[in-house]
Amino acid sequence: MRNFEERRFTILLIFITVLVIFSIRLFYMQIINDYWKDRAAQISEYKVYTYPPRGIIYDRNGKKMVENKTFYDLMVIPKYLKEIDTTAFCKLVGITKEQFIKKINEAKKYSRYVPSPFEKQISSDNFERISEELYKYPGFYAQERMLRGYSQEIGAHVLGYISEVDSTDIKANPYYRSGDFIGKKGLEQAYEYELRGVRGVKYILKDAIGNETGSFENGKYDTAAMQGHNLYCTIDANLQAYGEMLMQNKKGSIVCIEPSSGEILALISAPTYNPSLMTGREKGKNYLTLLRNDSLKPLYNRAIQAMYPPGSIFKMVQSLIALEEGVITTHTGFSCDKSLVGCHAHPTANDLKKAIQFSCNPYFYQTTRRIIQQGKSKNAFIDSELGLAKWTKYMHSFGLGIDLGIDMPSVKKGFIPDTAFYNQPWPKGHGKHRWAFSTIYSISIGQGEVLVTPLQMANIAAIIANRGYYYIPHFIKGIGEKGNIPEYFLKKNHTLVSKTHFEFVADAMRAVVEEPGGTGGRAKIPGITVCGKTGTAENPHGEDHAVFIAFAPMENPKIAISVYVENAGFGGVWAAPIASLMMEKYIKGSVSDTLKEKQIKDAVILDTKKYKATLSSKKKKRNR
């Protein structure tokens, strides 16, 4: 028994001895000696990412709108830093000593062994000078990045920009890691997956002094970067540039659509900005400058985000609904009773064509009242609810108050009031069975609660041009070598109104521009029949906004357009001529009236007070 106890003690002692030896060895390897820690870091942590070229964006004619330019990130590995001439280094890179100390401390805090960015997005020109001296500064090296470049520096609101990912982006998509770039706004965001490609990675080994000794396991785990797909967009770069030129020193937008396809030919939001400001080392500073420019809001995409009362351009839609419902005919006449709603002086509108041509407000008051109150119920409140519910369905079929589904982020739906809206308790609504047409009559002339975006109104012009249907407006003609686009862009979306009624309204729009007394005479184009409609969107904060929609030619239309010029008053004065110049430029390739072009180009309509001084002393009547 005693021998057993002795043996058990001996075995236990052996186990304890071995355990102590291993513990001491592990302590030495992990705490005292850095070799294995360094070696582990070299193998498991040190990897170089290779970033593929992002897809190029071309316009509809094959011109490059967005390409790739080489930039460099200056990387640092704190482990290999040595004493350097800090003053000379800061001068070389273009930073202060305070910035140098801060960046080094941040890098050390991140990791002594893993490389981290020291200075990002250095242009090729600047890096050429830096690279010649970089050998003097151990621990620093360059990592090539492909960022965006712009040949014409146009279309900032269409194209968007790329930016370094933040924690929200990484959380939303595990593909991204700190230091990656992602599309923000515009096509860069909408087609991020197609444009970004797939980054590659190389695992490499280094010796104790930082020299590369080869790839990890002969590159077994390395992956190659895959280039992003090119995008072939619908934008006509020449037309886009021309529109941006016309809208300089103005606030507003221009949207041009090819009716036969739904392809967006130009989308201008003014004021705009140079897209090159959103790339390179000064991007953050430039972004803040643009963001803080509150009075002009150059980052705000008015074409798809601004919501305005449509004004008189809404009268065509009211006409079409009324004809389809059979509450009027093309020969129906109403007197211009200004006690119902204000109007301007015009010849007698004794039928629908003249009412559109002369833009008679009381006529459309009477017309819309017949749509809303059709006598389906003896109770006027219930009757109005029934009529408005039907009216709302018609409006949605025209793409108003709904998501059109275009390939662009942050698009607003506008607003079409429905029975649920008006049935809300005061002050949000009027309360159930407490409103009738007399309460909401302002919707008849495109005012009150009705709101639309410039994109939606250009689409209305395209619908009338097509005599009753539209394709979803979109920016992409093809993706990659195969040139595929989503099938739903190719589907016709029909309104609830018959084609025959559109023929009549299209002719009335022709009269607006081409015949005497029409409010859109300044939209005429020599040799081309233009169909258009002026409007004035009420603005409680100053001068009203000028509005015009049109399409041309009348038969086989090639372009539909909406123009909004904020604080410019009557739509026929400024919006109509801008539209005519854009349409002529696209159809003919040049403009014939260079005097009109110069007048529009030189006009400054930013300060309402200054602009109003150029108007006649008598304010232009609203809702023309």
Side-chain angles (χ1 to χ4, degrees):
M1 188 70 177
R2 183 178 177 183
N3 290 337
F4 176 76
E5 291 292 332
E6 289 178 352
R7 286 197 299 271
R8 187 173 68 173
F9 177 78
T10 303
I11 292 170
L12 183 61
L13 182 62
I14 293 171
F15 272 108
I16 292 173
T17 303
V18 171
L19 182 62
V20 170
I21 293 171
F22 270 101
S23 297
I24 293 172
R25 179 61 177 167
L26 285 172
F27 179 80
Y28 174 78
M29 291 173 63
Q30 295 182 6
I31 306 300
I32 305 301
N33 191 328
D34 283 344
Y35 175 79
W36 290 108
K37 182 166 62 178
D38 289 352
R39 188 62 174 164
Q42 292 167 4
I43 296 174
S44 63
E45 298 283 357
Y46 191 78
K47 44 190 175 181
V48 175
Y49 289 98
T50 55
Y51 292 88
R54 198 169 171 89
I56 296 170
I57 302 178
Y58 296 89
D59 88 331
R60 68 187 299 107
N61 299 310
K63 290 184 178 179
K64 285 183 182 179
M65 295 191 72
V66 186
E67 55 190 343
N68 295 305
K69 290 188 176 180
T70 303
F71 288 77
Y72 295 87
D73 289 346
L74 187 60
M75 310 295 289
V76 62
I77 305 176
K79 170 73 176 176
Y80 304 122
L81 290 176
K82 295 182 179 179
E83 290 293 327
I84 62 171
D85 185 340
T86 307
T87 301
F89 182 84
C90 291
K91 183 178 180 181
L92 178 68
V93 179
I95 60 174
T96 65
K97 286 188 177 181
E98 291 76 14
Q99 289 173 321
F100 175 87
I101 294 170
K102 181 181 178 182
K103 289 172 182 287
I104 291 296
N105 287 337
E106 288 175 349
K108 289 179 178 178
K109 185 177 180 181
Y110 174 70
S111 172
R112 295 183 65 241
Y113 306 95
V114 179
S116 61
F118 181 84
E119 188 71 10
K120 298 179 181 179
Q121 299 183 35
I122 303 171
S123 68
S124 295
D125 293 340
N126 288 332
F127 185 74
E128 185 176 351
R129 174 178 49 84
I130 294 172
S131 63
E132 295 175 353
E133 305 290 326
L134 201 57
Y135 72 93
K136 299 177 182 178
Y137 306 104
F140 291 95
Y141 73 95
Q143 180 170 285
E144 187 176 295
R145 297 297 296 262
M146 299 297 289
L147 298 179
R148 299 312 238 172
Y150 307 90
S151 54
Q152 288 187 266
E153 298 183 335
I154 59 171
H157 292 99
V158 173
L159 301 171
Y161 55 90
I162 62 173
S163 184
E164 191 168 341
V165 296
D166 55 28
S167 58
T168 304
D169 298 318
I170 295 172
K171 185 177 180 180
N173 191 334
Y175 168 84
Y176 297 101
R177 59 182 295 278
S178 181
D180 285 352
F181 281 76
I182 192 172
K184 299 284 187 180
K185 307 294 184 183
L187 296 179
E188 295 280 15
Q189 180 177 338
Y191 290 91
E192 162 66 13
Y193 178 80
E194 290 81 3
L195 287 167
R196 77 185 183 194
V198 179
R199 66 169 176 266
V201 62
K202 292 182 179 180
Y203 297 86
I204 62 175
L205 301 177
K206 285 191 174 185
D207 59 25
I209 61 173
N211 297 317
E212 290 188 16
T213 60
S215 61
F216 176 58
E217 298 218 0
N218 295 318
K220 180 179 178 180
Y221 301 103
D222 294 354
T223 58
M226 297 176 62
Q227 182 172 348
H229 295 298
N230 295 335
L231 294 186
Y232 300 88
C233 77
T234 63
I235 294 292
D236 184 308
N238 291 335
L239 187 66
Q240 180 76 24
Y242 187 69
E244 291 186 13
M245 181 270 290
L246 294 178
M247 289 298 288
Q248 63 188 4
N249 296 316
K250 303 168 187 67
K251 288 194 293 184
S253 66
I254 303 173
V255 181
C256 303
I257 298 175
E258 183 180 69
S260 62
S261 64
E263 294 177 359
I264 298 174
L265 304 171
L267 186 139
I268 293 101
S269 178
T272 186
Y273 61 93
N274 185 338
S276 295
L277 293 175
M278 301 302 285
T279 190
R281 296 169 78 181
E282 299 296 315
K283 178 197 164 187
K285 178 182 176 182
N286 294 335
Y287 178 81
L288 289 176
T289 300
L290 293 169
L291 185 65
R292 290 168 180 167
N293 194 351
D294 291 336
S295 62
L296 299 181
K297 297 182 178 179
L299 292 174
Y300 183 49
N301 191 341
R302 288 172 166 81
I304 62 172
Q305 293 179 302
M307 299 190 296
Y308 307 92
S312 291
I313 54 179
F314 207 51
K315 293 171 181 175
M316 275 91 66
V317 182
Q318 304 284 39
S319 300
L320 289 162
I321 296 172
L323 290 171
E324 184 67 24
E325 283 294 295
V327 296
I328 65 169
T329 70
T330 58
H331 302 294
T332 299
F334 296 110
S335 62
C336 185
D337 185 353
K338 295 181 178 62
S339 67
L340 298 174
V341 62
C343 198
H344 61 101
H346 61 72
T348 303
N350 52 15
D351 60 26
L352 180 56
K353 180 179 177 180
K354 289 184 174 62
I356 294 174
Q357 181 181 354
F358 305 143
S359 198
C360 178
N361 289 338
Y363 188 100
F364 287 96
Y365 174 100
Q366 299 278 27
T367 297
T368 308
R369 179 167 64 179
R370 290 192 177 187
I371 296 172
I372 303 299
Q373 295 189 195
Q374 296 189 30
K376 303 291 185 181
S377 172
K378 292 181 180 180
N379 185 308
F381 300 117
I382 296 176
D383 193 39
S384 293
E385 285 192 17
L386 294 172
L388 186 70
K390 184 178 288 187
W391 177 85
T392 302
K393 290 180 180 179
Y394 275 109
M395 289 297 168
H396 289 171
S397 78
F398 279 86
L400 302 176
I402 65 170
D403 182 357
L404 278 174
I406 80 165
D407 50 346
M408 181 72 67
S410 305
V411 178
K412 294 291 182 66
K413 298 179 182 180
F415 184 72
I416 295 296
D418 57 12
T419 56
F421 173 79
Y422 288 124
N423 283 344
Q424 295 178 100
W426 182 264
K428 290 184 177 180
H430 300 287
K432 190 171 179 62
H433 295 166
R434 297 183 63 86
W435 58 271
F437 173 74
S438 59
T439 316
I440 63 171
Y441 71 87
S442 58
I443 67 171
S444 62
I445 54 173
Q447 301 293 167
E449 295 81 13
V450 175
L451 295 172
V452 299
T453 65
L455 170 68
Q456 288 174 319
M457 293 319 297
N459 195 48
I460 291 296
I463 289 171
I464 300 173
N466 288 333
R467 310 311 195 256
Y469 66 88
Y470 68 94
Y471 295 95
I472 293 175
H474 55 279
F475 289 95
I476 295 302
K477 290 173 70 72
I479 302 172
E481 294 182 3
K482 295 182 179 180
N484 295 329
I485 64 171
E487 286 291 326
Y488 65 87
F489 288 151
L490 307 176
K491 177 186 174 184
K492 288 183 180 180
N493 297 272
H494 290 272
T495 69
L496 299 176
V497 178
S498 304
K499 179 179 178 180
T500 54
H501 300 314
F502 282 94
E503 292 289 355
F504 174 84
V505 170
D507 186 59
M509 290 175 67
R510 177 198 58 77
V512 169
V513 177
E514 304 291 344
E515 294 186 9
T519 57
R522 294 199 71 196
K524 288 182 180 178
I525 302 173
I528 297 174
T529 302
V530 175
C531 302
K533 183 69 186 75
T534 58
T536 305
E538 287 190 355
N539 176 25
H541 306 293
E543 188 67 25
D544 293 340
H545 305 316
V547 190
F548 188 74
I549 69 170
F551 63 88
M554 182 176 180
E555 302 300 331
N556 300 315
K558 292 181 172 59
I559 184 172
I561 188 170
S562 73
V563 179
Y564 274 72
V565 186
E566 294 187 14
N567 309 125
F570 173 48
V573 176
W574 292 107
I578 290 174
S580 72
L581 290 169
M582 289 291 289
M583 291 188 291
E584 185 176 17
K585 179 74 172 179
Y586 180 69
I587 296 171
K588 294 183 175 181
S590 60
V591 297
S592 54
D593 192 340
T594 55
L595 183 62
K596 180 197 291 186
E597 180 184 64
K598 186 177 187 306
Q599 180 189 26
I600 296 297
K601 178 184 175 182
D602 295 343
V604 178
I605 314 175
L606 289 174
D607 188 315
T608 303
K609 292 181 180 179
K610 290 182 179 179
Y611 172 65
K612 286 176 72 174
T614 68
L615 298 175
S616 60
S617 58
K618 184 178 180 181
K619 187 178 180 180
K620 301 293 183 180
K621 293 290 183 180
R622 291 176 176 175
N623 303 318
R624 289 189 180 180

